[in-house]
Amino acid sequence: MASAIALAACTPALPPPPPLPDASGGGGRILPDWRASITGQDRDRLNRIDAAWSLALEQARRQEGSGDLASTGRLIDPNAALSNVAPPVGDYRCRTVKLGSQGGEQGLGYVVYGWFACRVEETPNGLKFIKLTGSQRPAGLLFPESDRRMVFLGSMALASEPPANSYGQRPERDMVAVLERIEHRRWRLVIPWPQYESNLDLLDLVPA
């Protein structure tokens, strides 16, 4: 596990993708541009995603954790992104891997959770990601940005609350993430500087 994290930590970060010239989602349909919707706080989180990777991997390598992090493979490689990022609509299995600790030395360096149910849906505003089960259930839109990256803007539902649908209205629940394809049929949401616990969350997605 330590060698896998060390390899990921030493890999140079990807250069930022070029600006999207327009927000066309294919077929002539115009989708919203995430730049017009993102809050200032989330823009700052996204701008510091490389720093989140670096700190989170360093803590995961050094501190005690929970679960089998080595088994996650390419999930914890910052440079794992492949082309053709857009995920097909349908049901997925998903699990959260938390890296780093906002509590510093007092917290766990990583936590690997079990699998839950997620879904990608087509909506009039583009693709929407929803985590269907579990006590923490993010939901939000996936905005096209480049061939290797989509930007997720969403919010979090907790416990028995209805599905989240309030980005920009409750700052404490807002989420920003980058969606990347990391294997033939495997994706991840990279969530920098989440509101609680960790310094980087990874949501592992595979078709159900």
Side-chain angles (χ1 to χ4, degrees):
M1 181 271 291
S3 60
I5 299 174
L7 176 63
C10 292
T11 307
L14 285 172
L20 191 71
D22 59 47
S24 174
R29 183 160 56 91
I30 303 301
L31 302 179
D33 185 351
W34 62 268
R35 296 166 183 81
S37 302
I38 193 170
T39 66
Q41 186 177 31
D42 282 344
R43 185 182 296 275
D44 177 65
R45 287 191 179 104
L46 194 59
N47 287 340
R48 295 186 297 117
I49 192 170
D50 289 344
W53 268 113
S54 178
L55 175 60
L57 285 171
E58 187 274 330
Q59 289 179 313
R61 182 172 63 249
R62 182 169 45 82
Q63 296 173 210
E64 181 181 357
S66 173
D68 185 3
L69 190 62
S71 69
T72 62
R74 290 174 62 86
L75 184 71
I76 63 170
D77 177 359
N79 279 346
L82 303 173
S83 59
N84 299 316
V85 61
V89 170
D91 292 329
Y92 289 76
R93 294 190 305 131
C94 58
R95 63 175 172 176
T96 299
V97 175
K98 291 180 174 288
L99 298 178
S101 169
Q102 293 183 18
E105 300 296 325
Q106 304 304 314
L108 293 174
Y110 61 89
V111 180
V112 180
Y113 288 91
W115 294 92
F116 292 91
C118 293
R119 181 176 296 151
V120 174
E121 298 179 349
E122 181 70 47
T123 78
N125 290 320
L127 293 178
K128 182 176 184 178
F129 167 79
I130 309 167
K131 186 170 182 280
L132 300 172
T133 58
S135 59
Q136 299 181 12
R137 301 181 310 283
L141 291 177
L142 294 165
F143 296 83
E145 189 193 12
S146 74
D147 190 46
R148 289 175 176 257
R149 187 159 101 157
M150 301 182 81
V151 172
F152 169 84
L153 296 181
S155 49
M156 179 75 75
L158 301 176
S160 59
E161 295 175 349
N165 189 27
S166 58
Y167 181 78
Q169 301 176 35
R170 301 181 63 182
E172 75 280 5
R173 299 290 186 91
D174 285 347
M175 297 177 61
V176 63
V178 170
L179 180 77
E180 297 171 330
R181 187 173 70 89
I182 59 173
E183 292 180 11
H184 175 58
R185 288 173 61 80
R186 187 183 184 191
W187 290 260
R188 70 182 178 195
L189 275 175
V190 182
I191 306 166
W193 312 111
Q195 300 279 7
Y196 308 104
E197 301 174 335
S198 52
N199 289 315
L200 187 82
D201 285 354
L202 301 170
L203 198 62
D204 195 2
L205 298 171
V206 294

